[in-house]
Amino acid sequence: MAKEILSSLLRDAFSSARAEGALSAEEVPPIVIEIPANEGFGDYSSNLAMLLAKPERKAPFIIAECLKKHLKDSEGVLREVRVEKPGFINFYLKPDFWASRLSEVLADPAAHGRSDWGKGQKVLLEFVSANPTGPLHVGHGRGAAVGDALGRILKASGFDVHQEYYVNDFGNQMNMLGKSTYLRYLESKGEQIEFPEDGYQGDYIREIAASESYREKVILSGEDDPEAELQRSVQASAAVIIDDIRGALEEFRVFFDEWFSESSLFENPDRVEEAIRALEGTSGIYEKDGAKWLNSSKYGDEKDRVVVREDGRPTYLASDIAYHHLKFQRGFDRCINIWGADHHGYLPRVRASLEMQGIDPARLDVLFVQFVSLRRGGEPVQMSTRSGQFEELSTVVREVGVDAARFFFLMRSVDSALEFDLDLAKEQTNENPVYYVQYAHARTCSLFRQAEEQGERLDPLTDVPAGGLSLPEEHALAKSILEWPQVVRLAAERLEPHRIPFELMAIAKDFHAYYNRHRILGQEPDVTRARLCLVRCIQAVLSNGLDLLGVSAPDRM
RNA sequence: GGGCCCGUAGCUCAGUUGGAUAGAGCGGCGGACUUCUAAUCCGCAGGUCGCAGGUUCGAAUCCUGCCGGGCCUGCCA
C-alpha cells in the first residue's frame, strides 16, 4: 500500500528530473522501498539514488538530493523527506496517513491479506504421498503441515488449489505388505514362519493381522487357498493402513480434495503405457540391454534411467512420468510437489520427461523438505518405516496438540533440518510461540468484550478518528498491519510458509508490549476509539494469519 | 568422486533476493500483578555471521576455493 504510493512518487520524480535534464539515465531501475531496521531512518526508505549512481556517473548523494527536489507529494502523505549518508532517501509519513489506510482495512478485516494475485490459476498441490505401508511419522507430518499451509496461503492469494495425495498402491511393496500381514496371521495361528528381512516389521502389522475384520476379509471360512488369501491380504492390509493415514491427517486438520491411486494409472486407458509410447515417439525413450531407458541425461539428469525393466515390468519412474503428464492433461496450469529431501535426485528425471513432451518444466515446482529428527530428552529416536521403532505423527500430535505441532513444523524454512524434542515441547507448552500468538489474539477479543460492557459502540468500527493514533508504537503497528498483505504475497510467491509464523510472532510481540504500556479503554473517546480500530486490525492479522497456518485463534484462553 | 541442503548468541532458528548500529524464541540473571487476561511486560548478559580470498559506494546475503554436518547417488517405491 504505502510502498506502491512511494515508489510511484519516486518514479514521477525521476521523470520530472529527466525532463528538466537534471538526470539522464535511460530508464528507472526497479524501485525498492524498504522499511528501515532503524526507526531513525524514517518510515520507509529507498536506495534508488545508489542504483542510479553508476548510469548517471554521479555521486548517490547528489542524485538523491536531485530526486528529492523533484518529488511532488501528489497524494499528500509525506511529512518529511530526508537524504541520508551514502544516498538513502528516507520518507516520514503524516500521522493521518496511518489512520486513513487502517480505515481501508476495517472495511473488511477478514479480507486483509487476501488477494487475487494468482488470477485463478489452477494449481495441483501434491503432498504427503507417503507409501501406504505403515503409519505416518513426524517427517510426513512436516510435509503435511507445510503442504496444507501452503494450500491455504495460495488460496488466499487467488489461486485455485487442488490438494492431492498420491497413493503408491502398486508394485512390490504392496505384495510385501500383504505377505507380511499374512505371515503374522499364520504366526498367530501357531505356524512356523520365516519372516523375510525386507518384510514390514512394525507392530501395526501384527495388529492388522490380529483384527477381526482382517480375518473376515482375508480368511474366508472353509476355504484353504493360500494364494487367494495372500491376494486378499494385500488389499485388506493396504485399506486398513490408508484409513489409518487418512485418520491421522484428519486429526491433524489436513484434508485432500483427491486421493490419487497409482494403480489406477494402469487401468482402462493404461496411462503408463500411453506415456511410454508418447515418449518413444519423441525418441525420449530408447532400448538397451532389453530394457527401456529414459534419455534424461540429455536434459540435465546425471544419467539415463530405466523405465521398463528387462522383464517388461514398468519401474516406479514410469508411473511417475505418467502421473505428472496426466496432471497437466487434467488442466492444471502449475504443479507443486512437496517431497522429502531424500528425493531431490528425482526432480531432473521427472522434469526431463515433461520437457520431452513439450511441457515447460518450470511449471512443476518441487519443495524439498529437510528431515525431522525426533528427540526424547537428549536421546535421538530412530526413525525408519521398517524398523518398527518410528514415532508416529498421531502420537506426537496427541502429545503436544495439533496447534503446537503445526506451528512448530511451520516455523522453520523447509530448507533447514528440524529438530523436534518432544520433552522440550511438552515442558515448554506454556512458553510455546503458538500460545504467545494465540494469547495475543485472545487479548484482542477480551478488549472488545470489555469495551462492549463499558457501552462502547463497536458496530460501525470503520473510521479511525483523526489524530487518535499519535504514538510511535501505534505507527509501528500500523506499518506492520499494512505490510501484512506483502508478507502473504511473498509466502505465496516464494512458497515459503514460514514467513507467516515469523510475522505473527513479531506483531504479537509489538501488540503485547503496546498493551502493557498503554491503556486502550477509558481514554478520551477519540483515542479509545482509534485504539480499538487499531486493535481490530491487529486482531484481523492474527486471526487471518493463524488461519493460514491451520492453527486455531481462540477468543479466550 | 558427483548432486541437493545446512553452518549466524549457550540451544533451536529468522534475516524482506546487496543496504544503514546483526534479529527472535528458548535457556541465564534482575525487576513489574488492588488497574482492559502476568499464557504478559521491562531491563541486563550473550556474536571473528564456519575459514580464506574476490566482486563494489556497501557482503550474513553474490562468485571461487577450502573445512565441517545431514541427505541422495537401484532394472525398490
Side-chain angles (χ1 to χ4, degrees):
Chain A
M1 296 177 138
K3 289 183 179 177
E4 282 85 346
I5 295 172
L6 294 174
S7 53
S8 100
L9 291 185
L10 270 180
R11 202 169 292 116
D12 293 346
F14 174 82
S15 313
S16 147
R18 213 172 96 94
E20 281 188 19
L23 292 176
S24 56
E26 291 295 317
E27 51 186 50
V28 213
I31 294 183
V32 179
I33 305 287
E34 288 187 309
I35 297 178
N38 188 327
E39 287 173 18
F41 292 130
D43 295 314
Y44 296 92
S45 170
S46 177
N47 63 346
L48 180 61
M50 271 103 99
L51 298 178
L52 282 168
K54 191 165 269 181
E56 293 287 344
R57 306 175 66 89
K58 282 182 191 157
F61 198 89
I62 309 273
I63 298 169
E65 289 289 1
C66 172
L67 285 169
K68 180 185 169 183
K69 205 191 319 174
H70 287 87
L71 204 62
K72 282 194 195 67
D73 185 10
S74 49
E75 302 268 340
V77 297
L78 296 175
R79 176 162 60 88
E80 194 181 356
V81 178
R82 276 189 186 158
V83 174
E84 297 284 352
K85 275 189 295 184
F88 287 104
I89 303 170
N90 295 339
F91 300 96
Y92 299 75
L93 271 51
K94 288 182 185 167
D96 287 353
F97 172 82
W98 310 114
S100 67
R101 297 295 149 170
L102 288 183
S103 298
E104 290 174 19
V105 176
L106 288 167
D108 190 359
H112 189 51
R114 306 190 72 87
S115 71
D116 56 0
W117 178 67
K119 296 180 188 124
Q121 253 189 71
K122 289 186 68 178
V123 176
L124 177 51
L125 180 59
E126 183 216 320
F127 59 108
V128 187
S129 300
N131 288 337
T133 54
L136 298 179
H137 56 70
V138 284
H140 299 125
R142 186 178 190 187
V146 168
D148 190 64
L150 197 58
R152 290 162 183 265
I153 291 165
L154 291 172
K155 283 172 197 164
S157 303
F159 290 91
D160 180 6
V161 181
H162 184 84
Q163 302 190 174
E164 185 159 293
Y165 188 120
Y166 181 53
V167 186
N168 295 118
D169 53 358
F170 187 84
N172 294 335
Q173 58 175 4
M174 283 294 99
N175 294 326
M176 184 51 78
L177 174 69
K179 189 175 175 185
S180 300
T181 319
Y182 191 59
L183 287 172
R184 290 305 184 202
Y185 162 75
L186 294 179
E187 187 183 48
S188 72
K189 284 295 196 192
E191 288 190 29
Q192 284 287 340
I193 60 154
E194 207 172 302
F195 201 81
E197 270 196 22
D198 50 352
Y200 294 102
Q201 303 276 358
D203 290 338
Y204 62 92
I205 296 291
R206 294 176 201 270
E207 283 168 25
I208 295 171
S211 71
E212 196 63 39
S213 68
Y214 179 81
R215 287 167 200 228
E216 278 172 18
K217 286 180 194 152
V218 177
I219 317 296
L220 304 179
S221 54
E223 290 186 27
D224 185 22
D225 180 357
E227 219 22 71
E229 287 180 341
L230 200 55
Q231 275 312 307
R232 290 196 295 268
S233 179
V234 171
Q235 300 308 318
S237 306
V240 170
I241 288 174
I242 290 171
D243 272 356
D244 184 68
I245 288 174
R246 194 192 309 259
L249 287 170
E250 280 177 9
E251 193 182 2
F252 197 41
R253 289 186 217 130
V254 173
F255 302 90
F256 291 91
D257 298 302
E258 190 165 346
W259 295 68
F260 192 99
S261 149
E262 179 186 1
S263 47
S264 77
L265 289 169
F266 295 89
E267 288 161 8
N268 289 331
D270 189 327
R271 302 289 187 177
V272 179
E273 206 182 297
E274 278 180 9
I276 290 170
R277 203 174 305 136
L279 288 177
E280 280 173 328
T282 66
S283 71
I285 285 180
Y286 62 90
E287 289 200 30
K288 193 183 94 181
D289 304 333
K292 291 184 177 178
W293 295 71
L294 183 74
N295 191 8
S296 53
S297 61
K298 200 174 151 192
Y299 297 86
D301 198 6
E302 289 174 29
K303 53 182 178 182
D304 294 346
R305 312 286 175 176
V306 171
V307 177
V308 180
R309 300 178 180 90
E310 248 180 302
D311 61 11
R313 286 156 49 237
T315 63
Y316 167 82
L317 178 59
S319 304
D320 236 13
I321 289 171
Y323 177 44
H324 282 89
H325 285 195
L326 188 57
K327 281 182 178 179
F328 289 103
Q329 283 168 29
R330 287 202 273 163
F332 290 99
D333 301 304
R334 196 176 160 195
C335 294
I336 301 173
N337 294 355
I338 293 171
W339 285 353
D342 53 333
H343 285 70
H344 79 264
Y346 293 85
L347 182 55
R349 63 192 83 165
V350 174
R351 279 206 167 135
S353 81
L354 292 177
E355 209 172 337
M356 291 168 186
Q357 284 289 288
I359 299 168
D360 181 1
R363 288 167 69 191
L364 169 67
D365 274 309
V366 178
L367 236 61
F368 294 105
V369 182
Q370 295 295 317
F371 270 20
V372 178
S373 61
L374 200 56
R375 283 170 177 272
R376 234 175 233 295
E379 294 299 303
V381 179
Q382 280 289 330
M383 280 192 297
S384 162
T385 323
R386 302 193 179 191
S387 75
Q389 292 181 7
F390 53 78
E391 286 297 328
E392 292 184 27
L393 172 63
S394 50
T395 313
V396 172
V397 167
R398 281 178 206 133
E399 223 173 299
V400 305
V402 175
D403 286 343
R406 289 187 71 122
F407 202 91
F408 236 83
F409 282 135
L410 293 169
M411 258 176 58
R412 289 162 167 88
S413 148
V414 297
D415 289 335
S416 285
L418 169 58
E419 198 170 77
F420 202 119
D421 192 319
L422 288 165
D423 286 349
L424 208 65
K426 266 194 295 186
E427 275 173 31
Q428 291 183 344
T429 284
N430 287 346
E431 302 291 337
N432 252 331
V434 61
Y435 292 94
Y436 186 82
V437 174
Q438 287 179 319
Y439 185 52
H441 180 267
R443 260 189 166 165
T444 63
C445 297
S446 169
L447 276 169
F448 291 117
R449 282 194 296 271
Q450 289 286 330
E452 242 167 56
E453 280 176 25
Q454 294 179 17
E456 191 75 34
R457 281 178 50 244
L458 296 175
D459 283 343
L461 202 58
T462 49
D463 287 303
V464 185
L469 299 175
S470 54
L471 300 166
E473 293 101 311
E474 292 168 338
H475 294 168
L477 277 163
K479 218 185 291 180
S480 299
I481 290 163
L482 298 181
E483 199 53 25
W484 170 246
Q486 269 303 309
V487 175
V488 179
R489 155 87 184 266
L490 269 181
E493 192 176 339
R494 300 184 190 176
L495 309 179
E496 293 175 340
H498 75 276
R499 291 174 181 277
I500 306 294
F502 272 92
E503 184 58 23
L504 292 181
M505 287 190 287
I507 288 182
K509 182 185 172 65
D510 288 344
F511 171 63
H512 281 309
Y514 174 63
Y515 177 93
N516 270 274
R517 195 185 294 270
H518 305 287
R519 287 190 67 80
I520 283 97
L521 304 177
Q523 310 297 300
E524 293 295 314
D526 272 4
V527 171
T528 284
R529 189 156 185 84
R531 291 183 178 177
L532 282 172
C533 287
L534 181 67
V535 172
R536 179 69 88 202
C537 294
I538 292 166
Q539 181 184 54
V541 170
L542 293 174
S543 161
N544 298 346
L546 286 170
D547 187 58
L548 291 179
L549 304 178
V551 174
S552 67
D555 289 348
R556 58 184 85 218
M557 291 174 77

